[in-house]
Amino acid sequence: METLMVDRVQNSLRFFMHRNAIFLCERLCAEFPTEINLQLLATCYLQNGKAYCAYQILKGTSMPHSRYLFAMSCFQMNLLQEAEAALCPANEPNVEVPDGAAGHYLLGLIYRYMGRQALAIEHLMQALTLDPLLWAAYDELCVLGAIEEANDYFSDMAAQRIQQQYLSESSSLNSSNGSEFYNLSSNMAVTSVDSIPRQSKQLGNNTREIASLPLSVMIAKVPASNSGSSNFSQYITPPAATQLSGVAPPPLCRNVHVSFNVANNDVSTKLNNIAVQAPRRKVLDEGKLRKVSGRLFSDSVPRRSTRLSAEAIAVASSNATQVIGNGNGHTSTKFLGGFSSSSSSKVNAASSRSLTFRKGHSWISENFDEGRRSEAFDDSRMENMATTSSSTSMSGDSRYLEQGKAIGDLAQDSRLINGAQELLCLLRTLGEGYRLSCSYRCQEALDVYLKLSEKQFNTGWVLSQVGKIHFELVNYFEADHFFDLARRVSPSILESMDIYSTVLYHMKEEMKLSYLAKELLSVDRLSPQAWCALGNCYSLQKDHETALKNFQRAVQLDSRFVYAHTLCGHEYVELEDFENGIKCYQSALQIDQRHYNSWYGLGVVYLRQEKFKFAEHHLHKAYNINPRSSVLMCYLGMTQHALQRNEDALEMIERAISADKQNPLPVYQKAIILVSLECYDEALNELEQLKESAPHESCVYALMGKIYKRFEMHEKAMLCFGLALDLKPPAADVATIKAAMEKLYLPDEMDDTL
């Protein structure tokens, strides 16, 4: 009964029938209240987005996987201290973190959001060491700025570690009680926080933290019971040795016939309809590997576990006559030491044969005396032949099988290491591009991404990353192009769409922005990216109060979505509610200390409040994170100018101009600094050039009018003031310009308010 119920629960999870899985698993735990069954029930709850239920049933459990699932529940409920205590009990300082790489990754996230960055980096690196393909850990390390070179993590040594892990896993499965017993987690997608339905009241979603985890981290390890029918035992993998105390091994499967998915049809036809199905191991890490696909084996060689050979021999021995009869049972002299094959019509029935399926090839070894062809035998010769062949075939077949096994192992090792190297080469390119992007070395990152193959480049994740790079480079038209391509390739993509909405906001593309917000809401109404896009749409229409409500909704859906906090701060600043704006920026920095937009927002707030020392401190923080931003350099120069450090300010402004020659703001600020230094001719030259590139900026003409007034060129000054008013400047500037026009013929000093 227990085995049957476990199988039905796992089958329901496999087909995403969570309600059925929960119902049956509750009955299972009521009848058989073991901790392993509680793990399965907690997994059902977690996959159905009910972390609070998993929290209640796992509280107080002690098994390693139970501790991991409990920590996952606490993490989703934002109970970070309890999550840490579950993975690292205070009374057991030397206890091992459960579930290997997945446990270290989760612990790294916990420490990150607790503000303990050093420990977060340590555990994330440990997770990446244990599992070189755990892209999510690499992603977090890049965000934390703790990655030096992608080659250090996706090197050839990592390929060797993958090979060792794979072979050790295969050998451990081969030594299990049933060669076809598999854990549900080996062929089922791992539940991520993204895929869990959102909770409306308990907590917000965690969009990227658990975006991809290794195999068998969310699925309970269910032991096979001696009760129930043996027909269902083939779906269950025996748990680890530490969890098998007092539990009888599951019954063996009989007459199991499965088919192997072979990439190359030629290989399958050579097997003559006798193929063995290898279980497919799926690893989904959304997010974060974020649609980067790669096969561990290259070419068309089927993925076959070494533990299948025993079953293949059993299957083949019952069908050897059929294989030979079909004419496919020839022995290759390349593999079998130069022995020639013989036609089935001339093979004596007493000749011994051995057939081994290995790595997708069928090898049939037939023993003959120096390759001589058999002739018709009489009854007396048959007895002698039987005696002789029984002794010679034992030694000959064993020698051939050993040779074939050795060659097969070499071939498997070669395919495995080649496949791992190819996959790591892909991850190395993607990782280096992402690392450079997180370090805001945008042009270098773009050059790396362009090295990708056409198939990999034209994926939603890569195209959106390229769009973000152009956004940081202030190439809004290029960013719009690549984000649009990303949405065409992946219409349901949500990642980075908040950045895309900001691109359209800066381009003042009101129609495209409203369409994007509508599309994102239709994809997922409970995604923070959709509400950020909607908030930007209202902000573009100057409806800042409604925009703020939409950004707050995004924060409510995912309290760890950094950009939503920052956008809330921007809207508060627009509403001149500086106190709440500062709180929003600080909340963003508690989640991600390297989010330079929030440091920049704080600097701008303090600059407007004329707290120049505070402004310089926060802008310098932002500049240290993103030292290539022309906007940050410009605002930092403005702050230094306000602190009467004109030489430092002028140097910083020059850097800003060199970083982005298309940005008119640093040129204007340079003119202001030159006016304060009484370098009027140089300032006028800068403004004349700026007028060509930004002809619709009223402040440029107003400052030119001030300079002409100082030169007592009243007609030109009046003309410039009039042009500035025609361009409809803000109300505060209008009053200042009119006051300057009224005092045009008075010997007033220059006014630096414009």
Side-chain angles (χ1 to χ4, degrees):
M1 177 179 175
E2 182 180 4
T3 304
L4 176 61
M5 295 180 72
V6 168
D7 171 70
R8 291 300 91 194
V9 171
Q10 294 177 342
N11 187 68
S12 298
L13 291 176
R14 188 180 297 114
F15 293 103
F16 305 99
M17 297 185 295
H18 297 126
R19 291 181 59 191
N20 191 63
I22 291 173
F23 177 81
L24 292 177
C25 201
E26 286 176 347
R27 310 284 77 73
L28 171 68
C29 292
E31 192 70 25
F32 306 98
T34 64
E35 185 170 334
I36 293 181
N37 288 339
L38 289 178
Q39 292 177 5
L40 183 59
L41 180 57
T43 302
C44 296
Y45 283 132
L46 286 171
Q47 291 199 14
N48 200 34
K50 297 181 178 180
Y52 49 91
C53 294
Y55 173 87
Q56 293 296 333
I57 66 173
L58 289 175
K59 192 170 185 178
T61 53
S62 58
M63 293 178 65
H65 191 61
S66 299
R67 288 163 43 214
Y68 176 83
L69 292 175
F70 180 72
M72 178 69 71
S73 304
C74 294
F75 180 80
Q76 293 186 22
M77 298 173 66
N78 207 27
L79 303 174
L80 300 182
Q81 293 183 349
E82 286 192 57
E84 179 195 6
L87 295 175
C88 298
N91 56 351
E92 300 179 27
N94 296 325
V95 68
E96 185 178 356
V97 177
D99 287 346
H104 283 285
Y105 171 65
L106 178 58
L107 191 56
L109 290 179
I110 292 168
Y111 283 134
R112 176 192 168 189
Y113 293 121
M114 293 177 69
R116 300 159 72 177
Q117 186 169 343
L119 286 173
I121 293 173
E122 177 184 346
H123 284 281
L124 289 171
M125 286 186 172
Q126 181 67 19
L128 199 57
T129 302
L130 294 174
D131 185 1
L133 301 182
L134 186 51
W135 172 266
Y138 182 85
D139 185 333
E140 294 295 334
L141 287 170
C142 288
V143 172
L144 293 172
I147 294 292
E148 295 297 331
E149 291 285 343
N151 293 334
D152 298 339
Y153 299 90
F154 304 116
S155 60
D156 292 338
M157 294 185 63
Q160 295 176 2
R161 290 201 304 271
I162 294 172
Q163 182 188 27
Q164 294 173 358
Q165 292 173 3
Y166 186 85
L167 293 178
S168 63
E169 183 180 354
S170 298
S171 62
S172 64
L173 289 174
N174 190 31
S175 62
S176 62
N177 291 330
S179 61
E180 288 302 321
F181 295 139
Y182 286 93
N183 195 304
L184 176 62
S185 61
S186 298
N187 52 20
M188 183 172 181
V190 176
T191 300
S192 67
V193 178
D194 283 347
S195 62
I196 297 174
R198 276 75 175 179
Q199 303 172 22
S200 59
K201 295 183 179 180
Q202 282 75 10
L203 66 147
N205 271 349
N206 307 300
T207 323
R208 66 194 297 275
E209 290 76 12
I210 314 294
S212 67
L213 298 177
L215 292 171
S216 62
V217 296
M218 292 281 291
I219 309 300
K221 301 175 182 177
V222 184
S225 173
N226 54 3
S227 62
S229 173
S230 62
N231 294 332
F232 297 98
S233 60
Q234 61 180 332
Y235 300 105
I236 305 171
T237 300
T242 56
Q243 300 180 13
L244 278 175
S245 58
V247 181
L252 296 176
C253 298
R254 297 182 179 179
N255 300 327
V256 178
H257 180 74
V258 286
S259 59
F260 202 106
N261 290 334
V262 183
N264 192 338
N265 292 331
D266 294 338
V267 179
S268 62
T269 55
K270 289 180 182 179
L271 293 180
N272 229 7
N273 298 325
I274 302 178
V276 181
Q277 171 83 29
R280 296 184 302 172
R281 305 179 59 83
K282 299 182 180 178
V283 182
L284 296 185
D285 54 321
E286 176 244 26
K288 343 242 153 7
L289 195 54
R290 298 174 183 155
K291 300 191 177 183
V292 177
S293 63
R295 295 187 303 170
L296 200 57
F297 295 102
S298 59
D299 301 328
S300 59
V301 182
R303 296 178 59 178
R304 194 180 288 256
S305 176
T306 55
R307 60 192 181 77
L308 294 177
S309 59
E311 290 184 353
I313 294 173
V315 176
S317 62
S318 63
N319 296 279
T321 305
Q322 178 183 356
V323 174
I324 302 301
N326 290 336
N328 294 328
H330 299 286
T331 304
S332 171
T333 58
K334 178 179 180 181
F335 297 111
L336 297 181
F339 284 83
S340 61
S341 60
S342 178
S343 173
S344 61
S345 61
K346 296 183 180 181
V347 176
N348 190 289
S351 300
S352 62
R353 300 175 176 89
S354 90
L355 174 65
T356 303
F357 284 86
R358 189 76 175 168
K359 308 299 179 295
H361 302 281
S362 60
W363 299 343
I364 304 176
S365 57
E366 301 179 358
N367 297 282
F368 300 97
D369 184 10
E370 298 298 332
R372 287 167 28 183
R373 299 179 180 273
S374 301
E375 298 178 354
F377 297 99
D378 55 15
D379 295 340
S380 61
R381 295 175 62 189
M382 180 69 74
E383 296 177 359
N384 297 331
M385 188 64 181
T387 304
T388 305
S389 63
S390 62
S391 60
T392 59
S393 62
M394 293 283 290
S395 60
D397 284 355
S398 61
R399 183 172 68 253
Y400 301 151
L401 286 173
E402 290 177 359
Q403 292 176 357
K405 181 179 180 181
I407 296 173
D409 289 340
L410 290 175
Q412 182 195 24
D413 292 346
S414 177
R415 290 194 302 270
L416 180 58
I417 197 69
N418 289 338
Q421 287 176 347
E422 290 178 5
L423 178 56
L424 289 171
C425 181
L426 172 62
L427 294 181
R428 193 178 303 126
T429 304
L430 292 169
E432 185 65 11
Y434 189 70
R435 179 186 74 87
L436 293 171
S437 177
C438 290
S439 300
Y440 302 102
R441 297 162 62 179
C442 298
Q443 190 58 52
E444 297 175 54
L446 187 60
D447 294 338
V448 172
Y449 282 132
L450 290 175
K451 295 178 182 178
L452 291 169
S453 65
E454 183 179 354
K455 293 181 180 179
Q456 290 294 333
F457 188 84
N458 292 323
T459 55
W461 186 83
V462 175
L463 290 171
S464 63
Q465 291 299 317
V466 174
K468 287 174 64 177
I469 290 173
H470 284 291
F471 167 74
E472 295 294 342
L473 292 172
V474 203
N475 297 331
Y476 295 136
F477 289 100
E478 289 294 325
D480 179 24
H481 170 70
F482 282 102
F483 276 124
D484 185 63
L485 286 178
R487 294 193 67 247
R488 292 184 185 181
V489 172
S490 303
S492 60
I493 188 173
L494 291 172
E495 185 178 0
S496 302
M497 289 299 104
D498 50 322
I499 303 296
Y500 185 27
S501 67
T502 302
V503 170
L504 297 177
Y505 171 87
H506 286 296
M507 295 176 65
K508 303 187 184 302
E509 291 282 357
E510 186 175 341
M511 183 176 296
K512 291 181 68 174
L513 181 55
S514 61
Y515 179 77
L516 174 66
K518 180 180 179 182
E519 288 294 306
L520 295 179
L521 287 171
S522 66
V523 171
D524 188 357
R525 286 188 60 86
L526 301 181
S527 65
Q529 294 89 346
W531 291 95
C532 284
L534 191 59
N536 275 330
C537 188
Y538 281 108
S539 182
L540 183 59
Q541 298 172 2
K542 306 299 181 183
D543 188 353
H544 298 296
E545 292 183 355
T546 306
L548 179 60
K549 291 179 181 178
N550 286 281
F551 294 140
Q552 289 172 338
R553 174 61 173 158
V555 171
Q556 182 185 16
L557 290 170
D558 186 355
S559 60
R560 299 190 181 109
F561 197 76
V562 183
Y563 197 47
H565 289 278
T566 303
L567 292 174
C568 283
H570 291 341
E571 294 306 311
Y572 275 123
V573 171
E574 290 292 335
L575 295 170
E576 297 188 354
D577 187 351
F578 298 131
E579 182 178 355
N580 284 321
I582 290 173
K583 290 181 181 179
C584 290
Y585 292 137
Q586 290 174 344
S587 298
L589 291 174
Q590 288 178 355
I591 302 170
D592 184 4
Q593 294 183 0
R594 296 187 72 252
H595 190 63
Y596 79 90
N597 307 77
S598 294
W599 290 110
Y600 159 77
L602 286 170
V604 171
V605 169
Y606 290 128
L607 185 62
R608 293 182 62 174
Q609 292 179 336
E610 298 184 356
K611 298 178 181 179
F612 301 125
K613 284 289 185 181
F614 287 99
E616 183 187 20
H617 170 75
H618 290 86
L619 288 170
H620 213 281
K621 284 278 190 179
Y623 174 71
N624 289 337
I625 297 171
N626 186 3
R628 293 167 179 82
S629 173
S630 175
V631 175
L632 293 179
M633 296 177 191
C634 182
Y635 272 89
L636 189 55
M638 293 166 57
T639 306
Q640 292 170 342
H641 170 60
L643 291 170
Q644 304 299 321
R645 291 159 49 191
N646 292 325
E647 293 183 0
D648 294 339
L650 199 58
E651 181 182 355
M652 187 61 67
I653 291 296
E654 290 288 353
R655 291 184 189 176
I657 295 173
S658 300
D660 185 5
K661 298 185 182 300
Q662 304 298 322
N663 187 2
L665 182 59
V667 180
Y668 176 72
Q669 292 299 326
K670 180 181 178 181
I672 291 179
I673 296 174
L674 290 172
V675 168
S676 66
L677 295 174
E678 298 184 355
C679 300
Y680 301 119
D681 292 331
E682 296 181 28
L684 196 57
N685 290 334
E686 295 292 339
L687 292 172
E688 288 290 346
Q689 296 177 9
L690 183 59
K691 185 175 66 174
E692 299 296 329
S693 60
H696 302 295
E697 295 294 336
S698 61
C699 57
V700 175
Y701 294 99
L703 185 56
M704 290 177 67
K706 287 282 189 178
I707 296 174
Y708 284 130
K709 178 184 177 182
R710 177 56 61 94
F711 287 156
E712 296 184 356
M713 302 171 66
H714 303 298
E715 293 182 0
K716 287 189 176 182
M718 184 62 72
L719 177 61
C720 289
F721 287 140
L723 291 174
L725 289 175
D726 291 341
L727 292 173
K728 297 180 180 180
D733 291 345
V734 169
T736 305
I737 293 171
K738 289 183 177 179
M741 294 174 68
E742 293 174 356
K743 300 177 182 179
L744 183 59
Y745 296 99
L746 297 177
D748 291 338
E749 296 181 356
M750 294 292 295
D751 187 359
D752 290 337
T753 57
L754 294 178

